[in-house]
Amino acid sequence: MTKKEVAVGIDIGATNTVFGFVDSLGNILGEERIKTSQYDEIEVFVAALYEKILLTSQKIKDNITIVGFGIGAPMGNINKGTIEYSASLPWKGIVPIAEIFGRHTNLPVIITNDANAAAVGEMVFGGAKGMTDFVVITLGTGLGSGFVINGKLVYGHDGFAGEIGHTAIRPGPSNRECGCGRKGCLETYVSATGLKRSLLKIMADSMEPSELRKLSFEELDAEIIYNAAIKGDYIAKMAFTHTGMMLGFKLADVVAHTNPEAIFLFGGLALARDLIFEPAKQYMEENLLGIYKGKVKLLPSELSIQNAAVLGASSLIWSMNK
Ligand SMILES: [Zn+2]
């Protein structure tokens, strides 16, 4: 009986590490997770993860054979196979995770950051199938980005290309402080946290009534602001407009850098659809250099939020020989 080839897609997050067995068409044949935060030592974590992967693979009904392991993780470096100085994971400094993983298997192990994995996932399984030049922007607690140029994901000299979340949208010393220690980064405006920060600023400057005025910064989240905006709350709508506007300005620059066919938005904020897409489109178009106007598609990701991380990580293996 012929065995079905699967790649293991592994998404390492601060709380959970989720993995799935993905065939070349993007079907997930089985999925499991372990608690990342339980493991202070990377060697112990990798051993536990590998054991759980083997155990789970035995429960899958299809007769499978694993062809490789793709890993998406914050600060994942594909050139070196390392996770470097992640603020959210339990392991400090430079962690040689591909080498440690390699002690358990001779199969290929590829690691990159989660936004790059999302971009490869969009190319292999999502809306960017057949495209050679596109950008994926992931909008979560922060803002990540992956650039595909001439059909290849751009990694850069040190493996960290495409960090537009930490390019300045408002340069200057009096601007919003970012978690990276700098000021005025795009991520401080265009992310779930940025949306909250803008909401409070708009609230402070406006006399308009809003049900959100009762809530503290800790109580607010993007979903609450979204629900208020849908019900017509002026302040909530303004917060989305402002967020989309800042994104649109930056995307006009992004287009000038790489001349993409499309830009895909992925993640929680992208689910707000028109609230974020309309202003982003408008301000991108207004600020584009003439030669690009009307030519760049701004699209929602075609990967579901639930599966994207595992699909994206597995696609690192499936795209290996392309
Ligand atoms: Zn920053």
Side-chain angles (χ1 to χ4, degrees):
M1 192 175 144
T2 54
K3 290 190 170 189
K4 188 170 213 174
E5 291 190 336
V6 295
V8 182
I10 303 166
D11 176 52
I12 301 180
T15 316
N16 289 309
T17 292
V18 183
F19 61 87
F21 301 87
V22 184
D23 71 14
S24 62
L25 299 174
N27 300 305
I28 301 178
L29 305 178
E31 212 176 68
E32 257 302 345
R33 61 187 60 212
I34 68 170
K35 275 245 169 297
T36 318
S37 50
Q38 252 176 23
Y39 300 93
D40 293 336
E41 285 181 41
I42 184 70
E43 286 85 0
V44 183
F45 166 77
V46 171
L49 174 63
Y50 191 74
E51 194 187 321
K52 186 89 175 189
I53 290 172
L54 287 190
L55 268 175
T56 311
S57 73
Q58 289 158 9
K59 291 182 197 153
I60 294 173
K61 287 193 196 87
D62 301 67
N63 199 1
I64 59 162
T65 178
I66 295 172
V67 296
F69 300 83
I71 305 172
M75 307 308 281
N77 184 327
I78 195 161
N79 292 354
K80 298 181 188 146
T82 50
I83 296 173
E84 306 196 5
Y85 305 102
S86 164
S88 56
L89 299 178
W91 321 295
K92 300 304 161 211
I94 298 177
V95 180
I97 187 167
E99 184 214 308
I100 297 168
F101 213 98
R103 293 175 200 162
H104 299 271
T105 174
N106 290 322
L107 293 168
V109 178
I110 304 179
I111 177 164
T112 188
N113 76 43
D114 20 12
N116 283 342
V120 181
E122 202 70 49
M123 177 162 63
V124 176
F125 300 125
K129 260 185 217 165
M131 288 187 189
T132 55
D133 296 88
F134 67 95
V135 179
V136 171
I137 312 268
T138 61
L139 301 168
T141 322
L143 185 152
S145 54
F147 287 75
V148 171
I149 299 177
N150 299 335
K152 294 253 182 282
L153 186 69
V154 177
Y155 288 113
H157 177 61
D158 281 325
F160 291 119
E163 286 288 342
I164 71 159
H166 299 287
T167 60
I169 182 82
R170 285 259 174 95
S174 61
N175 275 302
R176 280 189 195 171
E177 287 183 7
C178 183
C180 72
R182 299 154 70 251
K183 285 183 178 172
C185 289
L186 183 67
E187 177 173 293
T188 68
Y189 293 89
V190 185
S191 62
T193 323
L195 177 75
K196 261 173 40 161
R197 293 173 83 170
S198 295
L199 180 95
L200 292 189
K201 176 85 171 59
I202 293 163
M203 219 177 244
D205 292 340
S206 162
M207 299 293 284
E208 287 286 331
S210 168
E211 58 174 78
L212 302 178
R213 287 186 186 277
K214 297 188 290 250
L215 302 176
S216 71
F217 187 78
E218 268 73 38
E219 288 167 323
L220 281 166
D221 63 29
E223 200 179 341
I224 293 173
I225 302 171
Y226 171 77
N227 288 331
I230 289 293
K231 281 192 239 154
D233 188 288
Y234 172 81
I235 304 271
K237 282 197 290 187
M238 283 301 291
F240 271 104
T241 303
H242 189 257
T243 304
M245 179 185 83
M246 297 304 249
L247 176 60
F249 271 122
K250 180 56 80 175
L251 292 184
D253 288 347
V254 165
V255 170
H257 288 301
T258 70
N259 190 11
E261 175 180 353
I263 298 171
F264 293 88
L265 302 186
F266 170 82
L269 274 194
L271 296 180
R273 291 294 165 104
D274 283 357
L275 283 171
I276 195 101
F277 275 86
E278 291 290 322
K281 237 178 222 165
Q282 182 194 333
Y283 284 92
M284 179 179 85
E285 279 299 331
E286 277 178 16
N287 289 283
L288 278 175
L289 191 62
I291 47 170
Y292 305 121
K293 279 190 195 289
K295 293 181 185 167
V296 185
K297 292 173 256 185
L298 186 59
L299 303 168
S301 164
E302 286 186 21
L303 301 180
S304 80
I305 286 199
Q306 216 190 343
N307 299 333
V310 162
L311 287 178
S314 77
S315 67
L316 295 170
I317 297 296
W318 290 123
S319 67
M320 224 168 32
N321 300 319
K322 282 184 185 169

